[in-house]
Amino acid sequence: MMKKTAPWIALAGAAALTAACTTTDPYTGMPVRNNTGTGALTGAGVGAVLGYLTNTNRGEQGRKNALIGAGIGALAGGAVGNYMDRQQADFRRSLEGSGVMIRRNGDQIVLIMPSDVTFVARTLNAYPQTTIDVVGHADSSGPDDYNQTLSERRASAVAAYLTSAGRVLPDRVFVAGQGERQPIASNDTAEGRAQNRRVEIILRPLTK
């Protein structure tokens, strides 16, 4: 059964200049209020990793080297907390009323996306010393392999939108799909399944 296609995903698919996949698949996630976390991606340790958007980035160190080579300086230890605090505050202001949920895990910021990514891209550009992991998720409807592919396409659509037209430097972005493996709500209800269909953007400071 086909699900309704959210208009911002259609826009992202049309704008896909750097992502591995274009997408017209549905994304109908709802705001998430559950505190269950997914944790940060580390290199290629996550299943079905789509990977970095540039050929030079073969791992986390490769991404860091590429950013430093692009003139983006790494943060010293004492500056990290204040930098992430300011970034979190800016996201709260710019995303107010958008339905995007913001969760803080130490020096990480996690954005849970049910809707428009326009304001996210604006704020990300104001904080270039932040790496960006885009992770797609699906509910349990349908076969496992279909849900895996769907989650990858959701993540690719968001990454494509963020990096197209120079919004965000591709060297900063890592893309992965988690399929149905990390639900944050029950898949037994329509509301729970809607919460599980989501994209999470995990932000981490670029440190020395």
Side-chain angles (χ1 to χ4, degrees):
M1 179 178 178
M2 293 296 293
K3 304 183 185 78
K4 184 178 179 182
T5 301
W8 74 274
I9 279 294
L11 172 63
L17 300 179
T18 59
C21 306
T22 59
T23 180
T24 54
D25 283 274
Y27 183 66
T28 57
M30 296 174 64
V32 176
R33 303 187 189 280
N34 190 297
N35 290 326
T36 303
T38 59
L41 296 179
T42 54
V46 177
V49 167
L50 302 186
Y52 296 89
L53 297 188
T54 59
N55 291 331
T56 57
N57 286 335
R58 296 299 183 188
E60 186 63 25
Q61 187 61 46
R63 171 163 60 173
K64 181 180 292 189
N65 292 342
L67 293 177
I68 293 173
I72 299 174
L75 294 164
V80 171
N82 179 262
Y83 174 84
M84 297 305 286
D85 287 345
R86 288 188 289 109
Q87 187 171 194
Q88 181 181 13
D90 278 357
F91 271 121
R92 290 199 181 281
R93 284 191 293 269
S94 64
L95 297 176
E96 184 176 4
S98 70
V100 177
M101 305 300 293
I102 303 170
R103 187 173 66 237
R104 181 72 176 267
N105 294 330
D107 286 335
Q108 293 182 104
I109 297 172
V110 181
L111 308 178
I112 304 172
M113 310 293 301
S115 56
D116 196 355
V117 295
T118 303
F119 298 111
V120 171
R122 292 174 185 171
T123 304
L124 286 173
N125 264 339
Y127 292 89
Q129 291 163 300
T130 303
T131 61
I132 305 162
D133 295 339
V134 183
V135 187
H137 300 268
D139 63 31
S140 63
S141 302
D144 291 350
D145 56 350
Y146 171 81
N147 291 332
Q148 178 61 44
T149 299
L150 186 59
S151 71
E152 292 172 359
R153 289 179 176 174
R154 284 177 179 149
S156 292
V158 172
Y161 182 82
L162 290 176
T163 58
S164 64
R167 293 182 181 92
V168 172
L169 186 69
D171 286 312
R172 299 172 63 189
V173 182
F174 178 80
V175 187
Q178 284 294 311
E180 62 186 70
R181 294 189 295 276
Q182 294 183 343
I184 56 173
S186 172
N187 278 305
D188 295 332
T189 66
E191 181 180 6
R193 289 191 296 273
Q195 292 185 42
N196 290 331
R197 297 189 296 269
R198 70 198 190 278
V199 170
E200 295 187 356
I201 298 179
I202 302 169
L203 308 176
R204 290 179 290 154
L206 177 65
T207 57
K208 295 181 179 178

